[in-house]
Amino acid sequence: MFLQTQGITKDFGKLRAVNNVTLEIEKGDIHAIIGPNGAGKSTYFNLITGYHRATSGKVLFKGKEITTLPAYSRCKLGITRSFQITSIYPKLTVYESVLMGLLAHRKVTLKFFSSAKKFFKEEVWRILEDVGLSDQANTLGDSISHGDKKRLELAITLGTEPELLCLDEPTCGMSPEETDVAMGLIKKFSGERGLTILFTEHDMSVVFGIAKRISVLHQGTLIADGAPQEVRASEEVQKVYLGGTA
Ligand code: ADP
Ligand code: MG
């Protein structure tokens, strides 16, 4: 068992944002969480990555309970979130940004900085090549395009050696071409690096184009979970998405 939530619930005051969700995410899967606005998708992600603490229920990662661990401890275990452009260093080059991410994760202190820089050179280049940014290595972080910033964010994240990558609306604000590139990268990393991807997305063509498994949240409750074709056939899901009274 890779990642599991057991009856996880999150209350914000009187509002129950996530209601008793029991779900397994399998290793190597590309797993989408969908649902209308306000369904609790981001909150559910935050319960997994540790940015929110559950009101009740459990989160287990590779058999170990992590329910109360802070986000940085979960990151060390391999649970990472990405595609938040805000974390890019605007005054560093693309190469330096990836290097900084790597050094920070490996806890390299200033004392060993110059030798570590040489040591990690190959790894930085490998990551840049993987995400298709090697020709931008010497460009400053704030002068690259929006789509390339998304690639850089992913590159920085790969330096933290993730096992589970949580992407909350990764294609938000992207053009259709950038969306295609980002989805291609997600597929590639799930295939080549064996990464497990958990993502939310409002664009159903993206979801059905890439997800191997889909779970549907509605008002904080899990109403469907399964292969794309099963979820698509679910009456309850259709009601929710067609604006019915479910
Ligand atoms: P989604 O990502 O599916 O759109 P969210 O998880 O962001 O949904 O929100 C679920 C519900 O929880 C919404 O009603 C939202 O207003 C509420 N909510 C989310 N975060 C907070 C918070 N930090 N404090 C209070 N209410 C919140
Ligand atoms: Mg959200």
Side-chain angles (χ1 to χ4, degrees):
M1 193 233 311
F2 188 63
L3 184 99
Q4 191 180 43
T5 61
Q6 292 178 348
I8 201 131
T9 293
K10 177 66 181 178
D11 292 335
F12 293 112
K14 283 188 184 149
L15 178 92
R16 179 149 292 183
V18 172
N19 179 32
N20 195 27
V21 174
T22 296
L23 186 62
E24 262 183 49
I25 284 101
E26 278 169 38
K27 190 166 170 56
D29 234 350
I30 302 181
H31 191 140
I33 308 276
I34 63 170
N37 250 339
K41 304 180 297 292
S42 295
T43 305
Y44 184 70
F45 267 52
N46 288 333
L47 292 171
I48 289 173
T49 52
Y51 290 86
H52 284 322
R53 194 65 62 84
T55 305
S56 58
K58 287 181 182 173
V59 187
L60 292 112
F61 185 54
K62 298 198 279 191
K64 185 180 174 229
E65 194 182 338
I66 59 163
T67 316
T68 59
L69 283 187
Y72 68 86
S73 308
R74 296 189 204 198
C75 184
K76 268 190 225 150
L77 293 176
I79 301 177
T80 315
R81 58 177 192 175
S82 178
F83 283 124
Q84 288 150 322
I85 278 170
T86 45
S87 63
I88 286 177
Y89 316 98
K91 298 300 169 206
L92 292 184
T93 66
V94 165
Y95 181 92
E96 289 165 340
S97 301
V98 176
L99 178 64
M100 288 306 285
L102 261 170
L103 296 179
H105 181 68
R106 310 289 159 83
K107 286 209 157 32
V108 176
T109 57
L110 231 42
K111 195 172 152 197
F112 300 111
F113 193 69
S114 58
S115 51
K117 261 165 78 173
K118 281 182 212 133
F119 187 75
F120 289 120
K121 199 173 158 184
E122 258 178 48
E123 195 164 346
V124 174
W125 280 112
R126 188 172 58 89
I127 291 174
L128 288 177
E129 244 149 62
D130 270 357
V131 302
L133 271 182
S134 36
D135 55 344
Q136 303 264 42
N138 295 313
T139 312
L140 286 183
D142 62 358
S143 343
I144 58 178
S145 71
H146 186 80
D148 281 348
K149 281 182 181 158
K150 296 268 180 186
R151 287 172 194 254
L152 176 54
E153 174 61 37
L154 184 61
I156 294 170
T157 305
L158 289 174
T160 69
E161 303 174 301
E163 284 188 54
L164 172 66
L165 193 52
C166 299
L167 308 170
D168 195 351
E169 303 213 10
T171 66
C172 182
M174 284 189 181
S175 69
E177 297 76 40
E178 288 169 346
T179 298
D180 280 350
V181 170
M183 288 300 128
L185 287 176
I186 289 173
K187 255 189 200 157
K188 171 175 160 152
F189 290 125
S190 122
E192 287 174 14
R193 290 183 182 237
L195 262 177
T196 307
I197 314 266
L198 182 66
F199 76 110
T200 68
E201 178 58 55
H202 62 272
D203 184 335
M204 286 307 119
S205 65
V206 171
V207 170
F208 282 93
I210 193 175
K212 295 205 186 112
R213 187 165 154 199
I214 300 175
S215 307
V216 188
L217 284 179
H218 180 52
Q219 296 173 353
T221 302
L222 186 70
I223 59 162
D225 171 47
Q229 60 275 22
E230 289 172 59
V231 168
R232 205 197 291 264
S234 151
E235 250 178 59
E236 213 174 347
V237 172
Q238 287 179 7
K239 263 194 231 163
V240 166
Y241 275 96
L242 295 174
T245 50

